[in-house]
């Protein structure tokens, strides 16, 4: 039964009134603010304008002229239309209503191939497509690991768009870069470390630069877009960027400012502004990025003006100045769970090790383009002892193992490596360790994972001990060893530096033990230079041994 003209007219008038009301409500704000709000709503809902969707496709080797997006969509629609007409012709009747739609969808689901379904899904969720920019020759992979990042093989196009926006803003402000941001070597290494789902320790020995800040905030913005695409929502800030001063906070915020066009809002908190003004600003804004000094952040958290319990990415910029006092530990306690943490360690001495260990509890990735010994050996304690006899050195080595055994029961055992020579001292050491109940491996490469750990009656595990000849140091995989012991200093200083810069790559609890006697006095001077270069403690006994070495000659 057809509807009357009055019913049709009422429906049209109702639609016109609704459209007019929507137009009046959107005119309460400026056109620019309305555009930002609309862009953020579209980003959260996973929808984009047609012109914006075109920006998320890049030409590839298979499609150099970028024709597949237009043609494929047209062909898909035409195929669907032909299939529906064929179904209706076979039935010799047109069916109306919801039942017809459900029947068509059921028939189409049975006939379409899995590849076609995957392509349709990609079009539907194409706002953060993977760019065909490969770093290692592999295709892109999508995944989720539950923290602030994913294991991916290539950066997304959205990340590159963020970097380009930041670079354009920097160029507008008169800051020129030698190379584009997206080809920066540090940034690419950071992205690889971030995608591995491990915390990052930056050991260049300085605070963050503009390029490093740009890569961090662009990667965080890409993580937000990817997670919202997967259906996750954030009730608080995603990124917390801790800085030491108001000037550094302004610098970080200036880098983040171009991301506002993508719906990423940044708030800077520092003592230079009134706290009431900052509280009012936090109430009227829901920032994705938070840049703050530790003292002002703790003040606002105590006043319940900001909630940082849901932080997913924590960046500590300048550990030397931020680690004074208990501010970092208090902020870390305010964050629930285990956020992805990035630490810029601008203090490479042994005094920074406790603060780093409190922030980075699990496995880490080290990041530094500085090839100096101090940078590559950051957070590795060098323990040098001088003894009167070889028997005392063996006993000291046993004490080191017992200490590692006592501190790590009911957990993953430490990986310990002995660097020895082929002489009678080696046999005495092996027999002594076996009497103590330690398992020994004397393979050339010392793969610790193949060693069976000794288990005590109470269930505690002794660390498996690997032994390697000094001539095989260059071929050994030292990055997994947390404790390395050199009982007889029969190696050269070149080999010592190689061990120091290659061991404990995924932890901040590495220890390198070296034992000296009077026979090793010739190496004492070089050892003192390395210890001072790395900011380590130089024992008085080692200095005395260095002074007596000319007399022995």
């Amino acid at each position: 039964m057809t509807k009357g003209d009055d019913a049709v007219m009422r429906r049209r008038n109702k639609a016109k009134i609704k459209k007019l009301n929507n137009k009046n409500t959107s005119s309460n704000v400026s056109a620019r603010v309305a555009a930002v709000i609309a862009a953020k709503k579209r980003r959260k809902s996973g929808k984009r304008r047609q012109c914006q969707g075109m920006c998320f496709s890049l030409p590839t080797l298979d499609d150099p002229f970028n024709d597949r997006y237009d043609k494929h969509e047209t062909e898909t629609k035409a195929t669907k239309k032909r299939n529906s007409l064929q179904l209706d012709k076979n039935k010799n009747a047109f069916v109306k209503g919801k039942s017809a739609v459900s029947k068509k969808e059921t028939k189409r689901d049975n006939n379409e191939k899995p590849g076609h379904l995957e392509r349709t899904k990609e079009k539907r969720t194409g706002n953060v497509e993977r760019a065909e920019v490969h770093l290692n020759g592999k295709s892109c992979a999508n995944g989720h690991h539950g923290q602030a990042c994913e294991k991916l093989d290539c950066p997304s196009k959205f990340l590159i768009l963020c970097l380009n926006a930041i670079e354009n803003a920097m160029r507008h402000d008169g800051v020129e870069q030698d190379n584009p941001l997206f080809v920066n070597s540090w940034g690419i290494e950071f992205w690889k470390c971030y995608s591995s789902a491990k915390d990052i320790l930056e050991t260049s020995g300085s605070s963050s630069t503009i390029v490093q800040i740009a890569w961090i905030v662009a990667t965080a913005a890409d993580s937000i877009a990817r997670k919202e695409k997967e259906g996750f929502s954030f009730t608080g800030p995603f990124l917390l960027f801790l800085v030491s001063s108001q000037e550094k906070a302004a610098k970080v915020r200036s880098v983040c400012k171009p991301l506002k066009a993508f719906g990423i809002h940044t708030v800077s908190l520092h003592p230079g502004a009134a706290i009431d003004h900052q509280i009012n600003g936090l109430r009227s804004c829901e920032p994705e990025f938070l840049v703050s000094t530790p003292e002002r952040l703790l003040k606002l958290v105590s006043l319940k003006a900001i909630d940082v319990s849901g932080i997913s990415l924590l960046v500590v910029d300048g550990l030397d100045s931020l680690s004074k006092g208990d501010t970092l530990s208090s902020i870390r306690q305010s964050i629930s769970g285990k956020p992805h943490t990035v630490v810029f360690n601008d203090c490479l001495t042994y005094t920074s090790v406790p603060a780093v260990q409190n922030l980075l509890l699990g496995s880490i990735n080290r990041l530094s383009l500085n090839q100096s010994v101090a940078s590559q050996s950051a957070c590795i304690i060098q323990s040098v002892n001088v003894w009167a006899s070889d028997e005392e050195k063996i006993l000291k080595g046993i004490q080191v193992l017992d200490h590692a055994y006592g501190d790590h029961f009911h957990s993953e055992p430490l990986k310990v490596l002995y660097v020895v020579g082929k002489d009678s001292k080696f046999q005495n050491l092996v027999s002594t360790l076996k009497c103590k109940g330690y398992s020994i491996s004397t393979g050339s490469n010392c793969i610790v994972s193949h060693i069976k750990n000794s288990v005590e009656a109470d269930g505690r595990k002794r660390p498996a001990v690997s032994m390697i000849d000094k001539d095989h140091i260059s071929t050994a995989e030292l990055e997994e060893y947390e404790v390395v012991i050199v009982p007889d200093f029969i190696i050269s200083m070149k080999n010592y530096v190689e061990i120091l810069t290659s061991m404990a790559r995924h932890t901040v609890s590495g220890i390198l033990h070296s034992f000296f006697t009077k026979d090793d006095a010739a190496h004492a001077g070089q050892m003192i230079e390395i210890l001072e270069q790395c900011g380590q403690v130089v024992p008085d006994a080692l200095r005395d041994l260095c002074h007596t070495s000319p007399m022995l000659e």
Side-chain angles (χ1 to χ4, degrees), residues 108-319:
R108 187 175 59 213
D109 292 340
N110 294 332
N111 293 336
E112 286 179 347
K113 296 180 181 180
H116 176 75
L117 293 177
E118 292 178 0
R119 290 193 296 269
T120 306
K121 184 176 181 181
E122 288 176 0
K123 289 181 181 179
R124 192 167 57 246
T125 60
N127 58 328
V128 193
E129 290 289 342
R130 295 292 119 200
E132 298 293 334
V133 182
H134 300 282
L135 297 180
N136 52 7
K138 298 181 181 179
S139 60
C140 302
N142 293 328
H144 173 64
H145 67 82
Q147 287 187 354
C149 62
E150 295 179 356
K151 293 183 178 180
L152 303 171
D153 293 327
C154 62
S156 70
K157 178 64 187 303
F158 183 71
L159 189 149
I160 298 177
L161 287 177
C162 293
L163 290 175
N164 289 338
I166 295 173
E167 186 175 2
N168 293 335
M170 292 167 54
R171 189 179 297 111
H172 183 268
D173 295 337
V175 180
E176 294 289 341
Q177 297 291 332
D178 296 335
N179 296 314
L181 289 178
F182 65 87
V183 297
N184 181 265
S185 56
W186 186 95
I188 295 175
E189 291 299 324
F190 168 79
W191 182 86
K192 291 179 180 179
C193 295
Y194 182 89
S195 301
S196 67
K198 295 181 180 179
D199 293 337
I200 301 174
L201 176 63
E202 216 287 336
T203 60
S204 296
S206 60
S207 59
S208 61
T209 62
I210 293 180
V211 175
Q212 293 170 342
I213 296 171
W215 267 93
I216 292 174
V217 298
T219 305
D222 180 52
S223 296
I224 294 175
R226 213 179 318 116
K227 286 188 174 296
E228 289 182 346
K229 171 188 167 184
E230 295 172 357
F232 291 90
S233 60
F234 302 97
T235 58
F238 178 87
L239 165 65
L240 174 58
F241 206 113
L242 294 178
V243 295
S244 58
S245 63
Q246 176 182 348
E247 292 75 14
K248 189 58 182 259
K251 181 179 179 181
V252 176
R253 188 180 183 278
S254 64
V255 177
C256 300
K257 194 173 181 180
L259 300 180
K260 189 176 181 180
F262 300 100
I264 303 296
H265 294 77
T266 305
V267 171
S268 177
L269 305 175
H270 50 77
I275 192 168
D276 294 335
H277 173 72
Q278 293 177 346
I279 292 176
N280 294 331
L282 290 172
R283 289 176 179 174
S284 60
C285 178
E286 296 180 359
E288 284 80 12
F289 293 170
L290 198 62
V291 183
S292 177
T293 57
E295 295 80 9
R296 179 51 60 93
L297 180 64
L298 289 177
K299 182 67 174 178
L300 293 171
V301 169
S302 62
L303 296 175
K304 297 183 179 180
I306 185 68
D307 182 18
V308 296
S309 60
I311 292 294
S312 299
L313 176 59
L314 173 63
V315 179
V316 181
D317 187 11
L319 188 65

Side-chain angles (χ1 to χ4, degrees), residues 69-82:
Y69 289 93
D70 295 334
K71 292 183 178 180
H72 179 72
E73 189 173 359
T74 305
E75 292 173 0
T76 304
K77 292 180 179 179
T79 304
K80 290 181 180 179
K81 188 173 182 179
R82 287 196 299 269

Side-chain angles (χ1 to χ4, degrees), residues 353-372:
V353 174
V356 175
Q357 292 176 348
N358 291 333
L359 289 171
L360 307 178
L361 302 177
S363 180
I364 68 163
N365 278 327
R366 293 173 178 266
L367 176 61
S368 177
L369 299 182
N370 187 354
Q371 298 301 321
S372 65

Side-chain angles (χ1 to χ4, degrees), residues 439-455:
S439 57
I440 307 297
S441 172
T442 57
S444 59
N445 291 327
C446 299
I447 305 301
V448 180
S449 58
H450 295 167
I451 305 172
K452 294 183 178 180
N453 301 306
S454 302
V455 181

